[in-house]
């Protein structure tokens, strides 16, 4: 494992309940990477992301993590969260700090301040006291990114962060992620179907086709048409 | 006013019943908040039934094992507590694990547990009229006499539940709101789920012993439903649910004493009236806002 490798996968197979969706995955995610994970619907993108995040166990193979306390910040799809909870934006962000506080102990003031700092980092301090589920899709996405940042991660995993969000908001979120990637060296792996995201922000591309994961760099996929051909999708 | 002064006086004969009924009214809605948030309302119906099956089993045990001294309700409380809590905890652990294995049939499973629990209770009590009467009183929510030992046992049990919810509220909220996030934060999700379910099971078992399955279920579900539309925060949700439950338990007891009516049924009817009024008030308020905008 290289010194700036954060996560490495060796011959990993992922899936649910021993049903293999993707196998033979060899992958290294390094410090400063900005990777877009592409593939048609149902090909196993989210399964792979969740396996890297440690939410799912790999069916076979080996995943090695760089030995730091908080390595991964995970941003799920917004729709997976339970809307019955009456939480403010700040309370959602605060959850990111829970990993550092022992169960049953009060949350230290410095963690509360850090949660506010994370909100500020993504220009969303004004959303702190607003009910999370009354926010727009883009605002909610920002809160979830702030929550992931509150875990103090080295690697941010995002599941379709710009899906269902209007173009200017989507662009603004991606610019924030780019800034975090460049200025703070935060590694990013995100799932997307947005050609503009792939074209304008990602340095590397992971493409899933024929049940395999293929890594390539942006310069090898110079046009949206090539991406569309690889993914077997049509573009307008 | 006279009734209130009477039931609040130190020498009121049924004061222990009043205390446990208010305690149940205050605590059941707290677990109800989590049951509603985690969309496990069916669990709130099935578990009280399982608890009452545990009670029926203990009450009728002498019939099946030829015991010389029948264990009738109120006579051997520790055994009854053990039966209700034991069965509730076994059921909730089994339901929690089977839900993890297969979520698709979880509601059907809970429905089946409810039906089987009720049928089995009726069947095993069929040969013991005294025990059956005690169990029927429990089913109707008759809160007649509560001994000092029962009072302290109830307060102690519910005290542990409140302490755990106060202390671990953050962990319960995290695993209930975003399980995947909790895993990435290296929280032991299974352990927290298990603790939450055990607290729910223990509270329901204690509540069923005191007020019966119908009233327990009513106090678990209705106060959170009332307060859900009135508050904007989780703390407010838990606090107001508990407050509504406690106040209704007190008022229900007072009115039942004054008009000689069954306490449990009156408590739930009172909660029902408040629920309907809340919905009506909300609809009228929405209409008013809409008219003002136009």
């Amino acid at each position: 494992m290289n010194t700036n490798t954060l996560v490495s996968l060796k011959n990993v197979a992922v899936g649910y309940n021993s049903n293999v969706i993707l196998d033979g995955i060899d992958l290294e995610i390094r410090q400063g990477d900005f990777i877009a994970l592409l593939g048609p619907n149902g090909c196993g993108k989210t399964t792979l992301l969740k396996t890297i995040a440690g939410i799912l166990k790999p069916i076979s193979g080996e995943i090695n993590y760089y030995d730091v306390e908080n390595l991964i910040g995970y941003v799920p799809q917004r729709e997976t969260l339970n809307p019955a909870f009456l939480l403010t934006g700040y309370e959602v962000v605060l959850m990111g700090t829970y990993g550092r506080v022992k169960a049953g102990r009060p949350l230290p003031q410095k963690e509360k301040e850090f949660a506010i700092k994370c909100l500020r980092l993504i220009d969303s301090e004004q959303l702190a006291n607003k009910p999370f589920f009354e926010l727009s899709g883009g605002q909610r996405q920002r809160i979830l990114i702030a929550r992931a940042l509150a875990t103090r991660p080295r690697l941010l995993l995002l599941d379709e962060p710009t899906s269902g969000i209007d173009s200017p908001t989507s662009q603004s979120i991606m610019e924030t992620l780019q800034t975090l990637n460049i200025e703070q060296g935060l590694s990013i792996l995100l799932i997307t179907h947005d050609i503009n995201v792939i074209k304008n922000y990602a340095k590397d591309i992971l493409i899933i086709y024929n049940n395999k994961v293929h890594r390539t760099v942006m310069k090898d996929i110079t046009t949206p048409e090539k991406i569309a051909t690889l993914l077997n999708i049509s573009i307008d | 006013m006279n009734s209130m002064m009477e039931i609040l006086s130190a020498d009121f004969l049924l004061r222990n019943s009043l205390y446990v009924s208010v305690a149940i009214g205050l605590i059941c809605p707290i677990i109800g908040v989590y049951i509603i948030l985690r969309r496990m309302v069916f669990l709130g119906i099935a578990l009280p039934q399982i608890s009452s099956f545990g009670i029926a089993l203990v009450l009728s045990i002498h019939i099946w094992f030829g015991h010389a001294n029948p264990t009738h309700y109120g006579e051997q409380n520790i055994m009854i507590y053990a039966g209700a809590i034991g069965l509730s905890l076994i059921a909730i652990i089994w339901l929690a694990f089977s839900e993890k294995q297969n979520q698709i049939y979880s509601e059907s499973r809970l429905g089946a547990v409810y039906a089987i629990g009720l049928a089995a209770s009726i069947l095993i009590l069929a040969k013991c009229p005294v025990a059956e009467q005690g169990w029927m009183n429990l089913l109707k929510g008759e809160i007649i006499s509560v001994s000092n030992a029962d009072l302290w046992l109830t307060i102690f049990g519910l005290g542990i539940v409140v302490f755990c919810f106060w202390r671990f509220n953050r962990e319960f909220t995290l695993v209930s709101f975003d399980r995947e996030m909790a895993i990435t934060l290296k929280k032991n999700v299974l352990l927290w789920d298990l603790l939450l379910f055990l607290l729910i099971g223990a509270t329901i078992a204690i509540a069923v012993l005191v007020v019966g399955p119908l009233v327990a279920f009513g106090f678990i579900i209705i106060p959170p439903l009332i307060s859900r539309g009135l508050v904007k925060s989780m703390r407010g949700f838990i606090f107001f649910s508990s407050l509504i439950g406690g106040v209704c338990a007190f008022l229900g007891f007072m009115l039942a004493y004054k008009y000689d009516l069954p306490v449990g049924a009156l408590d739930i009817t009172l909660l029902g009236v408040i629920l309907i009024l809340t919905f009506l008030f909300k609809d009228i308020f929405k209409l008013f806002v809409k008219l003002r905008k136009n």
Side-chain angles (χ1 to χ4, degrees), chain A residues 50 53-55 74 81-87 95-96 98 101-105 107 133-134 147 151, chain B residues 37 39 167-168 170-171 173-174 176-178 180-181 183-185 187 192 228 231-234 237:
Chain A
K50 284 184 178 178
I55 296 163
Y74 178 66
L81 299 172
N82 184 344
F85 281 77
L86 300 164
L87 297 165
M95 285 179 182
Y98 289 0
V101 185
K102 281 192 175 168
R105 298 271 173 85
L107 214 56
F133 284 101
E134 287 177 20
R147 183 180 72 163
T151 64
Chain B
L37 289 176
R39 298 165 182 156
R167 200 74 182 174
F168 304 122
R170 195 172 60 217
E171 282 70 26
T173 303
L174 177 66
S176 305
F177 176 66
D178 192 351
E180 293 179 345
M181 173 78 180
I183 295 170
T184 64
L185 292 175
K187 297 282 177 189
W192 289 112
R228 179 68 176 82
V231 293
K232 290 269 181 200
S233 72
M234 283 298 293
F237 191 16

Side-chain angles (χ1 to χ4, degrees), chain B residues 3 251-262 266:
Chain B
S3 304
L251 287 177
F253 196 96
M254 192 179 76
L255 294 172
Y257 177 71
K258 189 176 180 183
Y259 298 107
D260 193 21
L261 290 166
L266 195 61

Side-chain angles (χ1 to χ4, degrees), chain B residues 147-223:
Chain B
S147 68
N148 281 337
D150 277 354
L151 172 70
W152 288 113
L153 208 55
T154 306
I155 300 285
F156 177 71
L158 294 180
I160 292 174
V161 171
V162 171
F163 175 78
C164 289
F165 272 104
W166 166 69
R167 200 74 182 174
F168 304 122
N169 180 40
R170 195 172 60 217
E171 282 70 26
F172 292 146
T173 303
L174 177 66
V175 296
S176 305
F177 176 66
D178 192 351
R179 200 180 175 75
E180 293 179 345
M181 173 78 180
I183 295 170
T184 64
L185 292 175
K186 298 188 172 60
K187 297 282 177 189
N188 192 335
V189 173
L190 192 67
L191 182 84
W192 289 112
D193 267 351
L194 198 64
L195 181 60
L196 179 62
F197 287 158
L198 288 177
L199 292 173
I200 289 173
T203 310
I204 287 176
I206 294 168
V208 167
L209 276 164
V210 181
V211 293
L214 168 77
V215 183
F217 178 63
F219 273 120
I220 287 165
I221 300 300
I222 306 174

Side-chain angles (χ1 to χ4, degrees), chain B residues 45-93:
Chain B
I45 305 174
L47 264 193
Q49 206 53 62
I50 288 285
S51 292
S52 71
F53 171 65
I55 296 167
L57 199 66
V58 173
L59 287 172
S60 64
I61 213 155
H62 64 285
I63 299 287
W64 309 103
F65 293 98
H67 199 274
N69 299 312
T71 305
H72 288 143
Y73 187 64
E75 290 172 10
Q76 292 194 14
N77 291 323
I78 293 293
M79 273 186 75
I80 295 173
Y81 267 87
I85 294 178
L87 262 185
S88 298
L89 297 187
I90 291 167
I92 205 158
I93 291 167

